[in-house]
Amino acid sequence: MKSYRKVLSFHLPTRRGFVNITPQVEAAVAESGVSEGLVLVNAMNITASVFINDDEHGLHSDMEKWLEKLAPEKPYDMYAHNGYEDNADAHLKRTIMGREVVVAITQGKLDFGTWEQIFYGEFDGKRTKRVLIKIIGE
Ligand code: ZN
């Protein structure tokens, strides 16, 4: 069995944003030499997510509004976590959107359903964060 590890780095200029990281994951699969196996992609920070959905800007706008309804950024003093940092909403948004995804690798390609793409979701940006890619298989 082969195993391959790669860490991606992100530094978004805004507090929140979604980045399609499918090309980086595809590149890692190619580098790994694995043709049949699994790839795990996870955020290495508790205020960021990795998730799978459609790369459609209307949907991303809907997600931003939905997350703001569920866990509004402000007022900061509504959260017990805030004080030293004002990022309680980012922890909650990360929990809603998830930590990681696992995708099958079949014949050297990501074995996606229709329109599936992998995204990095940032909820407390303007600083560097990491995403882990771990690939196992043969
Ligand atoms: Zn925090």
Side-chain angles (χ1 to χ4, degrees):
M1 189 193 78
K2 289 178 194 161
S3 113
Y4 182 81
R5 182 181 191 269
K6 186 174 189 179
V7 175
L8 306 178
S9 192
F10 296 92
H11 189 129
L12 271 63
T14 50
R15 183 173 172 106
R16 286 188 290 278
F18 298 140
V19 180
N20 187 337
I21 61 169
T22 309
Q24 289 98 313
V25 178
E26 287 172 338
V29 170
E31 291 157 17
S32 75
V34 168
S35 58
E36 295 294 323
L38 295 172
V39 55
L40 164 77
V41 188
N42 71 267
M44 299 179 85
N45 190 286
I46 53 178
T47 53
S49 288
V50 172
F51 63 95
I52 290 181
N53 219 302
D54 193 0
D55 194 358
E56 196 280 305
H57 71 275
L59 178 65
H60 294 183
S61 168
D62 292 338
M63 282 179 175
E64 161 69 16
K65 286 181 199 153
W66 177 68
L67 289 167
E68 269 302 292
K69 268 186 217 163
L70 293 172
E73 178 187 340
K74 295 171 185 172
Y76 293 127
D77 65 4
M78 75 184 277
Y79 296 106
H81 175 72
N82 287 342
Y84 175 68
E85 289 185 306
D86 288 328
N87 67 358
D89 70 301
H91 290 278
L92 299 176
K93 287 168 175 137
R94 186 277 171 118
T95 302
I96 294 162
M97 295 303 288
R99 171 182 182 266
E100 77 278 306
V101 300
V102 176
V103 180
I105 301 165
T106 303
Q107 296 181 347
K109 305 283 182 203
L110 296 171
D111 204 341
F112 280 136
T114 306
W115 302 114
E116 285 190 332
Q117 294 283 285
I118 305 170
F119 291 89
Y120 172 73
E122 177 61 81
F123 306 113
D124 186 22
K126 303 178 192 174
R127 56 200 174 109
T128 303
K129 294 183 185 173
R130 294 176 302 152
V131 166
L132 174 67
I133 301 175
K134 182 82 179 193
I135 298 166
I136 56 170
E138 54 187 23

